Amino acid sequence: MKQDHKHNPFKIPEDYFEAFSGNLMKRVEGKDDAIPKKDGFVVPDGYFDNLHDTIKPKLNVSRVKVIPLHRYRKYYFAAASIAAIVALVFTLNRGTADDITFEDIASSDIENYFENYASDFSSYEIAEVVPVDELEITDLMANSLNNEIILNYLDNNTDEFEELNLEYDE
Amino acid sequence: MIAEETLVKDLQHPESRSKAFEVLVDLYKQRLYWHIRRIVLNHEDADDVLQNTFIKVYKNIEGFKGESKLFSWMYRIATNESLTLLKTKARKLDIGNGELQDKMIGNLTADVYFEGDAIQLKLQKAISSLPEKQKLVFNMKYFDELKYTEISEILDKSVGGLKASYHLAVKKIEAYLKENG
């Protein structure tokens, strides 16, 4: 070999040939270790050993069911539906003598109608038709709420007291 | 190992329930924990979700009809509980899911229960950049080493779709690691 005369300018990384067949086999077998197999997460010592003891006392505690308050928007539609019902009661009573009553209209249909066709009512317009003074908050909701549930909700869902200062200037 | 049907029967019977539940927890705690942990990333949240999952299983076992395997049913509960926790967190912080993922990854560097090196941290970053479904499939296939048929039962998706999701996920993660390597 006359390597001295024909100087080879190309270099290879160290141990390239030693590792070559290993790397090749990995690729042939489809075991590409480009993605590490360990994820680095650990748990506190003895965590799994004590897990059952931690869970056991909690099994028979009946948890307070939290019913989420409907979003603001929902009140709007509920108020709108009540307005619609009130309006419809008058028209129907005057118009026809049919036996169709307002129970025949699914409230989801009414909400749907307002959602699709009449969403440009302002809250003032609705307030003009709905006797707000006589309304209780429970009239607008499907489920009755007790104080515990409300407190629980506020506890879990509001971080700042400012959020409680609702503004009515829409 | 105790047969699944026997375990379910024991769980549904009031007299044997308590003992069977202990067996159930021992049998599945580690697998469910790691599944949850890879979604929520930190130990405290994973612990919360894992406990809730077992409590839900305990309270709903009477209604378990055996249409799916007990194992996939529990995995499904754990998955839903984990995703719900993330959604609640995002809502509380008033941020989107992407922002929440960034925050969670940011917290990993200070997490005493994360001992990953730079590459493992990068891997978590790569995984967190995936869409939700690909992320779930990748973790379940790559780390939990579940079969496609099992994942299909848990997530209620077709095996073909899952395979496609997994391969896409792997490609994206490899590209991410190469780009940021």
Side-chain angles (χ1 to χ4, degrees), chain A residues 76-111:
Chain A
Y76 179 88
F77 289 120
S81 344
I82 292 171
I85 291 170
V86 173
L88 275 170
V89 167
F90 283 122
T91 11
L92 271 197
N93 280 355
R94 275 189 216 143
T96 66
D98 283 351
D99 288 339
I100 301 169
T101 64
F102 279 94
E103 281 79 47
D104 296 335
I105 304 173
S107 50
S108 59
D109 287 344
I110 299 174
E111 282 193 23

Side-chain angles (χ1 to χ4, degrees), chain A residues 32-45 47-56 58-63 71 153 155-159 163, chain B residues 21-22 25 29-30 33-34 37-38 41 43 47 50-52 54-55 58-59 91-92 108 113-116 119-120 123-124 138 142-143 145 170 173-174 177:
Chain A
D32 199 340
D33 58 358
I35 306 175
K37 196 79 195 184
K38 289 218 167 106
D39 57 18
F41 293 122
V42 291
V43 291
D45 283 340
Y47 170 69
F48 287 119
D49 300 336
N50 303 323
L51 186 68
H52 181 254
D53 295 335
T54 321
I55 297 177
K56 212 176 166 188
K58 298 180 184 171
L59 291 177
N60 293 315
V61 182
S62 62
R63 293 198 304 179
R71 295 240 162 180
Y153 172 84
D155 208 27
N156 287 325
N157 293 274
T158 50
D159 292 325
E163 285 180 26
Chain B
F21 184 69
E22 199 173 338
V25 172
K29 60 187 175 189
Q30 301 228 17
Y33 175 86
W34 289 114
R37 178 77 183 265
R38 290 188 186 103
L41 301 192
H43 170 71
D47 179 38
L50 182 63
Q51 291 193 31
N52 281 344
F54 276 120
I55 291 170
Y58 184 86
K59 294 198 165 163
R91 207 181 58 224
K92 271 184 123 175
L108 274 185
Y113 297 120
F114 182 73
E115 293 180 346
I119 297 170
Q120 286 160 345
L123 173 63
Q124 288 306 316
F138 178 79
Y142 194 76
F143 289 116
E145 295 184 332
V170 171
I173 289 174
E174 281 175 351
L177 292 180

Side-chain angles (χ1 to χ4, degrees), chain B residues 143-178:
Chain B
F143 289 116
D144 300 347
E145 295 184 332
L146 295 175
K147 296 188 187 104
Y148 282 119
T149 46
E150 292 171 323
I151 304 176
S152 156
E153 202 173 309
I154 294 162
L155 298 181
D156 198 20
K157 304 267 186 227
S158 74
V159 168
L162 292 173
K163 281 186 182 169
S165 290
Y166 180 70
H167 286 292
L168 262 176
V170 171
K171 282 267 164 319
K172 281 189 200 169
I173 289 174
E174 281 175 351
Y176 185 99
L177 292 180
K178 219 171 255 173

Side-chain angles (χ1 to χ4, degrees), chain A residues 134-151:
Chain A
E134 294 162 28
L135 278 181
E136 293 282 333
I137 193 161
T138 47
D139 293 340
L140 304 179
M141 296 192 304
N143 300 301
S144 62
L145 304 169
N146 64 35
N147 286 343
E148 203 182 344
I149 292 172
I150 295 174
L151 286 175

